[in-house]
Amino acid sequence: MPVATLLPFTATPSRKSASPTSFRLTEKFILLLVFSAFITLCFGAIFFLPDSSKLLSGVFFHSSSSSAVETNTRTGADGSDSGSAGGEEKLLAKIRKDHEKALLEAKDTLQRRPEQIQEDIRSDKEKVAQESLAQGGKDVDRLPSVEFHRPPGATGPEPLDPGTKERRAKIKEMMKHAWGSYRRYAWGSNELRPVSKQGHSSNLFGSIKGATIVDALDSLYIMEMYDEFDAATEWVEKNLDFNVNAEVSVFEVNIRFVGGLLSAYYLSGKEVFRRKAVELGEKLLPAFNTPTGIPWALLNLKSGIGRNWPWASGGSSILAEYGTLHLEFMHLSKLSGNPKFAEKVMNIRKVLNRLDKPQGLYPNYLNPNSGQWGQHHVSVGGLGDSFYEYLLKAWLMSDKSDEEARKMYYDALQAIQTNLMRKSSGGLTYIAEWKGGLLEHKMGHLTCFAGGMMALGADGAPADKTGRQMEQAAEIARTCHESYARTALKLGPEAFRFDGGVEAIATRQNEKYFILRPEVIETYMYLWRFTHDPKYREWGWEAVQALETHCKVEGGYSGVRDVYVSTASHDDVQQSFYLAETLKYLYLLFSDDAHLSFEHWVFNTEAHPLPVIRKDGTDRPNTVE
């Protein structure tokens, strides 16, 4: 008799339930039938098998997980049994009673009318959803059911102008080459080496795989590359695994993986993306386990142990990293019912608002233990950039109801304009870096996003400053275009300077490379949307031609090591953000304004579109039956 194979099924509660009574109706019915059959077999053993008392005491009740029924049999010091016949009779009586009860419950279930059964199913679903919310969404498999709402503009019609239509089609062709090469030579790897035609990874993602797949999901969808999107979705369903014993960058994993999954969910409605995003979000929460709640930069996803980059100013957290979680974490709370995500990022604001800002500026380093600034280095480029972007976009994503974020953004922007923004002798506006009160007249390619940011925020600026902000945004766009135009390859360097008699030119060898970055294209796209000045599309098309001439290789697209030499030397990396950002912003530059319109969508810093969260609740997911 297969008692041993049945024991764990009958004696051990379900992992998803606190007690047997919390099973769904269909599960109850199956359990009752199995239990009934099991009891019948037990009766057969008791009455027909030899030495049935030893069977009872030696097999059935040695399950340590069975606490509902206890035997009176004890094993003495000498190993002999000292049980009593009276205990066995009581036990048999209890088994008969349980058997009869199980049969009655099964009969009652079978006799119920269909509408009663449906009502029980609805009640059970509601109970599961309430339990999930009460537990803070800790069990990702039990997320509350939601009705999917897609904001308008996920895809858009082809442009009416034939020239613009042709250019947009070219961007899609570039996406097909980049994606097809990745799929052919590096499928499942984080990134592609297009020259050597093999996979590539970095320590930013630990042993998580598929960064390019997740980063490219929304680009594939908005370009209507649905076959490719379906292949990527299948890989996510079957292979995307966060149960790894590895240390990852919280910032990079958040903006690429969490942001990519959230965006793919909002565009397609496929539940796998919501579930995976929340699962990964839960795994990132231990990064906030610091005395101040300012998260660590690095986190081991298995152990939950975090630390900061060893080079970061005495163990400090970095402004652009801990300040670039807000958009994704607010949406994680919305989709999971778990308020913890929102609470964690709102606490970051509380810490920052308690601190004095030197001349209104935010230093790039903050110690998560003491809650004090590290060295006073300020940059709107690397180490600081997306913090300012997320202040503005937090306000926009809240349907302009988050007044705290709005005030923080415009106060910070005013400090940047006063202390960091300068104009060269040649008339180029740039944003310098600040080191303890001294300016370094250098501007990074990353800083070029600021033109688009200022244009996006100009409408919410004080009335007397709206026009000036749009002017400055256009000036930043022009400066960044010049950084491209003044190179041999017509691609911009990683950083460029305004000192020593040069303007918008890189003077150090370690600043002359181009790694397919999107920030200049991003600003062109925003300025086009707000002004419809044709020069922004022309500048974008210049970049397309340079990418095709100098970065395209047989196996994809590669960065280059020096933009000032006439023959490109490739670095052999196709960055995942090339598909997520650079090609997406180019595609939108040549699309109608209604395609992912700013009225309904906000882009995270990896260009993953997230919906505006309406303050009237009209976008709020509803629990469904």
Side-chain angles (χ1 to χ4, degrees), residues 87 289 367 423 492 532 562 592 601-602:
N289 294 339
N367 190 297
K423 183 166 286 193
H532 284 182
D562 190 336
D592 291 344
W601 300 90
V602 173

Side-chain angles (χ1 to χ4, degrees), residues 153-161 163-172 219 221-224 524-526 528-530 532 536-537 541 583-598 603:
T155 57
E158 291 188 344
L160 296 177
D161 175 66
T164 304
K165 178 180 177 180
E166 182 180 347
R167 289 180 173 185
R168 193 177 81 147
K170 176 62 178 178
I171 309 304
K172 185 172 180 178
S219 295
Y221 193 92
I222 71 170
M223 295 184 192
E224 301 181 59
Y524 294 166
M525 189 274 291
Y526 279 107
W528 163 257
R529 286 270 180 109
F530 287 113
H532 284 182
Y536 297 114
R537 279 184 165 172
W541 188 245
L583 292 178
K584 181 187 288 120
Y585 285 135
L586 282 170
Y587 190 78
L588 294 175
L589 177 62
F590 296 105
S591 297
D592 291 344
D593 292 356
H595 196 175
L596 295 176
S597 85
F598 299 156
F603 294 92

Side-chain angles (χ1 to χ4, degrees), residues 283-349:
K283 288 187 174 293
L284 295 179
L285 286 176
F288 295 84
N289 294 339
T290 66
T292 59
I294 298 295
W296 299 112
L298 302 169
L299 180 72
N300 185 295
L301 293 183
K302 182 176 182 180
S303 68
I305 296 174
R307 68 182 177 100
N308 278 334
W309 299 105
W311 49 263
S313 186
S316 291
S317 298
I318 296 169
L319 181 68
E321 296 193 339
Y322 68 77
T324 310
L325 302 167
H326 189 96
L327 304 186
E328 297 84 0
F329 274 51
M330 295 301 286
H331 272 284
L332 286 175
S333 275
K334 177 187 174 187
L335 291 181
S336 69
N338 183 353
K340 284 290 184 183
F341 298 107
E343 291 168 1
K344 296 297 186 186
V345 290
M346 293 305 293
N347 176 68
I348 293 173
R349 279 204 205 160

Side-chain angles (χ1 to χ4, degrees), residues 170 174 488-491 541-554 556-558 560 566-570 578:
K170 176 62 178 178
M174 295 168 70
L489 303 184
K490 306 305 177 188
L491 295 168
W541 188 245
E542 290 174 8
V544 168
Q545 292 174 307
L547 287 166
E548 286 291 277
T549 301
H550 304 296
C551 297
K552 185 178 182 179
V553 295
E554 183 182 356
Y557 290 86
S558 172
V560 296
S566 57
T567 303
S569 174
H570 296 111
Y578 179 65

